Amino acid sequence: MSTETKLRTVTTFRLAEMKNKGEKISMLTAYDYTMARILDKAGIDVILVGDSAANVVAGYDTTVPITLDQMIYHGQSVVRGVNRALVVVDLPFGTYQGNSKEALASAVRIMKETGANAVKLEGGIEIIESVDRILCAGIPVMGHLGLTPQSINKYGTYTVRAKEEAEAEKLLSDAVMLQESGCFAIVLEKIPAELARRVASELRIPIIGIGAGKWVDGQVLVSHDMLGLNNEFSPRFLRRYANLHDSMADAFRQYIADVKQCDFPNESEQY
Ligand code: KIV
């Protein structure tokens, strides 16, 4: 039996069950059909259609410019490649912060037009009305606290967050608030491991970390980073599982040389 057919479909209930059993949750990003299909067949639990697409696909410096239509395009491509994993799509900057009705309209578009299972929003108390309204419509919401890249223009830096006590206490109270609103999980990005441990142990819902240490309920990375497609980005929390940048550059150079030397195609590669 293949890995694909052996594993149970992942739902938000299954993630809660995993937390209760102490089974770690694996999550990675995808933005297109091919990557999503490989991830799903490998047995990933959650696929995040992250607004990091703005960085790794579109080449922007921040996640701020990506639009709802672009996120929907990426979401549709990913969902077509997935049989088992839970698919979560990021609501992009500017589509949920100011107005909870607009937030609901954005989330509804994601759900109807992509077929994804849930949406993710960055922030705590500041966006709680939007979170509540989306949840009231029956749309599962994943929270995101700590480093929230959509607020880069407010903070001006991607350094570790919540190192000071006041910020750590706010993060904890935001996390509790998101849980009480009904969020099914929360991503904690780039915060001290000890604080992440406290949040994961005090909350009932799964806590997924990125740069938040090992004492959380699951881990997420940007696939392009862990595959080594981009070797300029190397924060301490990133473990590289491949060096695809160099493998691809070698393959491209070999192809160029083969074409130039009339070595490709050969007789068995033509009709
Ligand atoms: O957009 C993204 O890829 C994310 C992860 C870093 C969690 O939000």
Side-chain angles (χ1 to χ4, degrees):
M1 205 187 283
S2 72
T3 318
E4 196 177 8
T5 49
K6 225 173 19 196
L7 296 167
R8 281 172 59 190
T9 302
V10 183
T11 60
T12 56
F13 297 101
R14 170 85 186 109
L15 297 183
E17 192 179 275
M18 288 170 80
K19 169 153 182 151
N20 291 336
K21 288 184 178 163
E23 198 183 321
K24 297 287 183 186
I25 297 164
S26 60
M27 171 164 152
L28 284 168
T29 62
Y31 318 99
D32 64 53
Y33 168 83
T34 303
M35 185 81 91
R37 202 164 148 68
I38 297 171
L39 275 171
D40 194 55
K41 284 186 176 178
I44 198 80
D45 297 313
V46 184
I47 296 182
L48 173 65
V49 184
D51 59 356
S52 50
N55 308 118
V56 300
V57 179
Y60 289 113
D61 286 342
T62 74
T63 57
V64 170
I66 200 162
T67 66
L68 186 58
D69 284 339
Q70 287 165 337
M71 288 306 297
I72 287 171
Y73 168 77
H74 289 299
Q76 289 168 334
S77 310
V78 165
V79 167
R80 283 194 284 267
V82 174
N83 282 319
R84 173 186 173 267
L86 185 92
V87 179
V88 182
V89 179
D90 267 339
L91 281 189
F93 176 70
T95 65
Y96 63 93
Q97 289 94 343
N99 171 335
S100 66
K101 287 192 177 159
E102 191 189 350
L104 176 59
S106 307
V108 165
R109 276 200 66 199
I110 298 246
M111 299 301 282
K112 283 176 95 87
E113 296 180 40
T114 70
N117 307 108
V119 294
K120 177 164 79 61
L121 283 69
E122 294 182 8
I125 190 165
E126 310 79 10
I127 57 144
I128 205 68
E129 279 179 30
S130 296
V131 169
D132 284 339
R133 197 180 276 269
I134 294 170
L135 283 163
C136 278
I139 299 172
V141 174
M142 177 179 268
H144 184 152
L145 299 171
L147 174 63
T148 48
Q150 292 179 11
S151 311
I152 182 61
N153 291 306
K154 175 173 169 191
Y155 295 100
T157 159
Y158 289 105
T159 51
V160 179
R161 294 292 146 81
K163 279 162 85 177
E164 306 305 326
E165 188 161 342
E167 202 186 334
E169 288 306 321
K170 178 179 183 307
L171 187 144
L172 185 59
S173 92
D174 279 345
V176 170
M177 186 178 299
L178 290 172
Q179 168 178 272
E180 297 317 315
S181 285
C183 288
F184 71 90
I186 299 174
V187 167
L188 292 183
E189 181 164 354
K190 225 172 170 187
I191 63 165
E194 199 46 56
L195 174 61
R197 183 219 282 261
R198 193 171 155 208
V199 177
S201 71
E202 291 189 18
L203 268 68
R204 298 181 306 275
I205 59 174
I207 303 299
I208 317 283
I210 172 165
K214 63 195 291 189
W215 299 299
V216 286
D217 306 304
Q219 299 291 333
V220 57
L221 286 174
V222 170
S223 291
H224 285 53
D225 298 338
M226 61 82 79
L227 290 172
L229 273 164
N230 161 14
N231 51 19
E232 284 133 43
F233 180 66
S234 39
R236 187 208 293 205
F237 68 76
L238 175 63
R239 185 180 293 181
R240 286 221 170 81
Y241 288 83
N243 182 353
L244 291 195
H245 176 278
D246 290 358
S247 304
M248 288 172 71
D250 286 347
F252 293 149
R253 275 192 288 267
Q254 188 60 54
Y255 169 79
I256 293 164
D258 288 354
V259 169
K260 301 276 180 198
Q261 290 156 17
C262 295
D263 186 54
F264 175 79
N266 62 27
E267 287 196 358
S268 66
E269 292 163 331
Q270 63 191 14
Y271 300 98

